Amino acid sequence: MAAGKKAKNIGKSVKGKTKEVTGKAVGNESLETKGRAEQAAGDAKQAAQKAKDALKH
């Protein structure tokens, strides 16, 4: 996996987790939901990139 893409995907997952936790702490369901969605998107992109890399080798 390209280091830049890997870092970007991990960053998106971490950012989503941060939003989720913050939303939960302050009772903001909208922020919590956005965080979960962002985290899932980052995880999905990471999985797709890993699968793509597996096919190359």
Side-chain angles (χ1 to χ4, degrees), residues 15-35:
K15 184 178 172 185
K17 184 66 176 177
T18 303
K19 283 183 181 180
E20 179 185 357
V21 171
T22 302
K24 196 176 283 189
V26 298
N28 186 334
E29 290 182 24
S30 176
L31 184 61
E32 189 177 342
T33 302
K34 286 179 185 176

Side-chain angles (χ1 to χ4, degrees), residues 2 4 6-7 10-11 13-14 16-19 21 23 25 29-30 33-34 44-45 47 50 53-55 57:
K6 182 177 182 180
I10 290 172
S13 295
V14 171
K17 184 66 176 177
T18 303
K19 283 183 181 180
V21 171
E29 290 182 24
S30 176
T33 302
K34 286 179 185 176
K45 284 185 177 187
K50 284 182 182 180
D53 287 346
L55 293 174
H57 299 282

